[in-house]
Amino acid sequence: MAKTTDANQARFLPLTPYREYSPVAMRDRARDFYSEVNRRRTVRDFSDRVPPREVLDDCLRAAGTAPSGANMQPWHFAVVGDTEVKRKIRVAAEEEEKEFYSGRAPQEWLDALGPLGTTADKSFLETAPWLIGIFEESYGLLPDGRRVKHYYARESVGIATGILITALHTTGLATLTHTPSPMGFLNEHMKRPTNERAFLLLVVGYPADDATVPDIGRKSLEGISSFI
Ligand code: IYR
């Protein structure tokens, strides 16, 4: 016999939070949202000023609203504000990056990074007030140690990360999506269990007063989409 889900387990509620807008309002909202996110730039020069903590809490709550495979919510956000832990993370990241920039990376990759002006210097890891280690729970763990399978964990964490970056930007904070490679050392410094895999390190804070960003552009609508 064909297997099916036990639909009796499903409970449904009316979609009360949904709001429909008039076409005019929709156009305005889409334009406004695009203008807002189009101002976002990845920042590498951070101030050491500490933003209000509640802002971070709400941005993390926003990230936690992301859709996920079978609603497993396979993410964990480990926030580091402690100076000493940040220093250790910087040291470990720079060790990896030095190897990356002086040998491990193929020339083609280094050429692609040229316009960004990135180097093995990761001083922002100490300057910025918060480092958020974003972890993907490859599988869940029940209190008795049994494993719970997760579905599309990477895709789910990617979506949650996008919402987090957008939420932080909207509140007036800058971010840097940093991917030291390999990132295994983050589990140790952020005290995360073995069922979690570091997805990326999000550097968060106010930009430095004299922050600059690379002069690079975005693809056009035609360059990123097609209507069939
Ligand atoms: N992880 C290195 C290299 C790097 C890789 C990519 I792909 C970037 O978009 C930027 C940098 C670093 O952080 O410098």
Side-chain angles (χ1 to χ4, degrees), residues 50 56 78-87 89 125-132 190:
V50 182
L56 185 55
V79 182
V80 173
D82 180 80
T83 311
E84 189 48 27
V85 182
K86 285 195 294 181
R87 198 187 59 76
I89 291 171
L125 292 174
E126 273 187 273
T127 317
W130 294 320
L131 308 180
I132 309 181
M190 296 185 161

Side-chain angles (χ1 to χ4, degrees), residues 44 97 100-101 109 113 116 118-119 122 178-181:
R44 290 187 172 76
E97 298 296 355
F100 175 85
Y101 283 97
W109 194 343
L113 292 177
L116 303 183
T118 55
T119 67
K122 303 300 173 194
H178 182 44
T179 50
S181 158

Side-chain angles (χ1 to χ4, degrees), residues 1 3 6 28 33 42 53 56 58 62 68 74 90 95 105 107 126 131 135 140 152 159 167 197 199 203-204:
M1 211 179 76
K3 292 178 186 168
D6 178 2
D28 284 349
F33 184 74
T42 290
R53 163 65 202 273
L56 185 55
D58 273 339
S68 64
R90 175 190 178 178
E95 246 168 60
Q107 192 56 45
E126 273 187 273
L131 308 180
F135 290 85
Y152 301 101
I159 297 168
R197 200 158 63 141
F199 177 71
V203 185
V204 180

